Amino acid sequence: MTEILNTFNNIEIYLFIGILIVGILIIFFKIKGKKLGDTKRPESLDLKLASTKNNLLGKIAEVVKLRGKVDEQLMDDLEEILLKADVGVKVSLDIIDELRDEIKTKKLISVNDVREHLEEIIRKILLSDYADETLKLQIPKEIPFVILFTGVNGVGKTTTIAKLAKRYVKAGRSVMMIAADTFRAAAIDQLSIWAERTGAQIMKQKKGADPSSVVFDGLTKAVNQKIDVVLIDTAGRQHTKVNLMNELAKMKRTTKKVVPKAPHETLLVVDATTGQNAISQAETFNQATDLSGLVLTKLDGTAKGGIVIGIKHQLDIPVKLIGVGETYNDLRDFDVNEFVEAIFD
């Protein structure tokens, strides 16, 4: 009887050890999976922009097939497609006018030739607008590199800052986030969490503090500590409010008191799914802060990616970063050649 009990005890011990080993292995592979999630190869852009491609080129091909002939109705249909893809009124008209000219001068009678020429016109506009390589984010020799982020609530401004911070930290750069959105305690707390997760420093004060004071203190500390990159979060109340615009202009002046050439970049974060509303936001914010570029978030989840075609051409404000997913790797530098290839090839 004693031997039987001892046998059962041994079995229980072995079972416990086995379960413990399995548990440790599960935890190990989960942690490993998370680490790999940060470093895995990003999906190709053509997969991310499938909705935009289908909405633009798919509908162009459909209309061309249905019309079957080159006439004014075809031009009207093509113009409507461009407008619905949020290319913009002015740019759409310019594209169609140029297409009409090519039809006349080159005597195009095939609808497929018209489609190819339309795509080539759009491609040419994009490549021309983004021919300047200096449009990309570049850290200057004199640090800190200061980026001021603006944008209304809910567009992904804070997560954009986190993703960019992660990029620079992984590249061996020291990063500081400045929580200058002092109107919401939740905004300060959220940025603090992202700073901890990404390995960045955080400069913050309590809710209701003067945003420009937070910026001044943060930049002073960054200069003293020789921080490489400073990312400034700002309030995101509605862009129609005059006080917000005045506060942004004040913050921009404050940065220059500490770092004379700062901010080196002033980026407006906009939600690509809002389409033409993003252009009206850019116009308003640009008046207050003289924007150097745009960040288009949620570009993977919208059929309105045509905004990329029109926004630089219309406002002369380039798209510098695009958000095409939830992971750190999904915040990407806007590469016009990659974009053109994803849409047209």
Side-chain angles (χ1 to χ4, degrees):
M1 187 68 180
T2 303
E3 291 179 359
I4 294 173
L5 289 173
N6 288 336
T7 301
F8 275 116
N9 287 336
N10 290 335
I11 291 173
E12 287 176 357
I13 291 171
Y14 291 141
L15 281 172
F16 173 77
I17 293 173
I19 292 171
L20 184 62
I21 292 172
V22 170
I24 291 171
L25 287 173
I26 290 172
I27 293 171
F28 170 78
F29 283 113
K30 278 189 174 182
I31 293 173
K32 186 178 180 182
K34 286 182 180 178
K35 289 181 179 178
L36 290 174
D38 285 346
T39 57
K40 68 178 183 180
R41 185 183 181 87
E43 288 186 60
S44 62
L45 197 61
D46 58 339
L47 293 176
K48 296 287 188 178
L49 299 181
S51 295
T52 291
K53 183 173 183 176
N54 292 336
N55 189 48
L56 185 60
L57 297 192
K59 290 186 177 179
I60 288 174
E62 184 180 345
V63 163
V64 165
K65 184 178 179 180
L66 288 173
R67 292 302 303 168
K69 62 179 180 178
V70 180
D71 58 11
E72 195 57 33
Q73 184 59 51
L74 176 62
M75 296 298 102
D76 290 342
D77 290 344
L78 292 175
E79 182 181 317
E80 185 179 349
I81 290 170
L82 294 176
L83 291 172
K84 286 184 176 179
D86 277 286
V87 173
V89 176
K90 183 182 182 303
V91 182
S92 296
L93 292 175
D94 289 344
I95 290 171
I96 296 301
D97 285 344
E98 186 173 345
L99 182 61
R100 282 194 179 97
D101 290 340
E102 291 204 5
I103 290 172
K104 289 179 182 178
T105 57
K106 297 181 180 179
K107 295 181 171 54
L108 302 179
I109 57 174
S110 165
V111 288
N112 287 324
D113 286 343
V114 171
R115 176 180 58 80
E116 290 175 4
H117 276 76
L118 174 61
E119 292 179 9
E120 187 56 37
I121 290 169
I122 296 172
R123 186 195 300 260
K124 185 174 65 177
I125 287 174
L126 277 166
L127 293 175
S128 174
D129 285 344
Y130 287 91
D132 187 356
E133 283 295 317
T134 61
L135 293 177
K136 295 182 180 180
L137 293 182
Q138 296 178 339
I139 298 179
K141 292 181 179 179
E142 296 179 8
I143 57 172
F145 176 43
V146 181
I147 306 178
L148 180 71
F149 287 87
T150 65
V152 300
N153 286 331
V155 295
K157 187 163 73 270
T158 307
T159 50
T160 295
I161 291 172
K163 290 174 182 178
L164 196 58
K166 182 72 171 181
R167 175 197 293 189
Y168 285 130
V169 169
K170 286 178 68 175
R173 298 284 190 170
S174 55
V175 178
M176 175 184 288
M177 298 179 185
I178 297 180
D181 181 359
T182 59
F183 294 96
R184 297 182 302 127
I188 300 171
D189 293 341
Q190 186 182 15
L191 201 68
S192 299
I193 292 171
W194 280 123
E196 183 178 352
R197 289 179 180 176
T198 59
Q201 293 189 42
I202 180 80
M203 169 55 72
K204 60 182 179 179
Q205 294 183 17
K206 63 181 180 179
K207 178 180 177 292
D210 176 27
S212 294
S213 174
V214 182
V215 170
F216 184 87
D217 291 346
L219 284 177
T220 301
K221 184 177 180 180
V223 169
N224 292 336
Q225 294 187 358
K226 293 182 171 50
I227 298 293
D228 293 316
V229 181
V230 176
L231 309 174
I232 305 174
D233 187 22
T234 62
R237 294 169 296 166
Q238 287 300 314
H239 61 285
T240 52
K241 297 198 174 179
V242 176
N243 289 343
L244 172 59
M245 295 299 133
N246 290 338
E247 188 58 59
L248 288 172
K250 181 182 175 184
M251 275 189 275
K252 194 162 187 177
R253 292 193 300 270
T254 299
T255 63
K256 296 185 183 302
K257 294 178 181 178
V258 186
V259 182
K261 293 183 180 180
H264 302 92
E265 295 280 355
T266 302
L267 303 180
L268 174 66
V269 183
V270 292
D271 182 341
T273 64
T274 62
Q276 288 299 295
N277 188 42
I279 290 183
S280 65
Q281 289 178 28
E283 289 174 331
T284 306
F285 275 95
N286 193 40
Q287 292 173 6
T289 60
D290 190 20
L291 299 171
S292 63
L294 301 171
V295 182
L296 281 182
T297 63
K298 308 174 188 177
L299 194 58
D300 58 316
T302 181
K304 297 184 176 183
I307 189 176
V308 175
I309 299 167
I311 202 162
K312 170 68 167 66
H313 200 71
Q314 183 172 336
L315 301 179
D316 198 28
I317 304 172
V319 175
K320 295 205 170 186
L321 296 167
I322 55 173
V324 290
E326 297 299 323
T327 71
Y328 292 120
N329 289 327
D330 287 324
L331 180 69
R332 306 186 188 184
D333 292 314
F334 178 69
D335 184 323
V336 67
N337 292 301
E338 186 183 20
F339 182 84
V340 165
E341 184 178 335
I343 295 296
F344 293 107
D345 291 351

